[in-house]
Amino acid sequence: MVQAKARNGWMIWASLLLGLLLSVAPLPQFMEIGRPLWLALFLSYWVLALPHRIGMITAWSVGLIEDVLYGSLLGQNALILTLIVFLVLSLQRRLQMFPMWQQSLVLLVVFGIAQLVQLWLNALTGNRPPTLAFVLPALISALLWPWVFAILRWLQLRFGVR
């Protein structure tokens, strides 16, 4: 079996860097509660597209960087992103066969579970009172999934990322 040589890996890392930047970019106060999970969206795409290149170690590493950027408990976001990547990898074959609206629904559940774990960890550390607003970023991220998928797919094909 001949393996294809990995090409243009910088595009993957550039998109993850963009996800990190979008995660900490300033938003108006009223929009802050619904900030999309950019890094989770980008990681989910690359895990679906190239599961042999992006996995849980990448999610853990990028999550640690996100922890440092947010100034949160070290390992908290790393755990959340690793959970998301694990769930997406577990459902990868099914997700690839689903139409876009079903992918969005499945990712809504995955992101919702991740947000629930995030809320639980925040409540344990005393950083945030428990509210039902934790679902809003998962919902917005699921609504953004078709656009993120289309843009990253175009970039993957344009630059021949494999």
Side-chain angles (χ1 to χ4, degrees):
M1 182 173 161
V2 178
Q3 288 186 348
K5 185 179 177 198
R7 289 185 25 189
N8 292 332
W10 64 269
M11 180 56 68
I12 297 169
W13 293 105
S15 67
L16 293 178
L17 179 65
L18 177 65
L20 281 168
L21 291 175
L22 288 172
S23 294
V24 296
L27 286 176
Q29 188 64 30
F30 71 94
M31 291 176 65
E32 191 66 40
I33 190 101
R35 178 183 292 275
L37 306 170
W38 292 111
L39 199 52
L41 282 167
F42 292 169
L43 273 171
S44 296
Y45 173 79
W46 290 117
V47 165
L48 283 175
L50 303 169
H52 59 281
R53 300 252 338 243
I54 301 296
M56 293 193 300
I57 293 175
T58 305
W60 182 264
S61 304
V62 175
L64 286 176
I65 295 169
E66 190 176 34
D67 286 329
V68 171
L69 282 175
Y70 282 164
S72 63
L73 186 64
L74 193 62
Q76 182 176 350
N77 290 312
L79 176 69
I80 300 301
L81 287 175
T82 305
L83 174 67
I84 290 170
V85 167
F86 172 75
L87 292 172
V88 171
L89 274 173
S90 299
L91 301 168
Q92 181 218 3
R93 298 276 185 195
R94 290 182 186 150
L95 278 171
Q96 288 176 337
M97 293 186 336
F98 286 165
M100 193 58 61
W101 68 272
Q102 282 182 332
Q103 285 182 9
S104 293
L105 285 177
V106 170
L107 287 176
L108 172 64
V109 172
V110 168
F111 295 155
I113 290 170
Q115 286 297 101
L116 185 62
V117 171
Q118 179 94 25
L119 181 73
W120 178 64
L121 289 172
N122 282 336
L124 283 178
T125 59
N127 290 339
R128 189 176 186 192
T131 65
L132 287 178
F134 74 91
V135 181
L136 197 55
L139 179 64
I140 291 172
S141 298
L143 291 174
L144 287 174
W145 172 248
W147 287 279
V148 169
F149 184 90
I151 291 168
L152 289 177
R153 174 68 72 184
W154 179 80
L155 288 173
Q156 181 187 6
L157 295 175
R158 170 77 172 89
F159 289 101
V161 181
R162 42 183 167 135

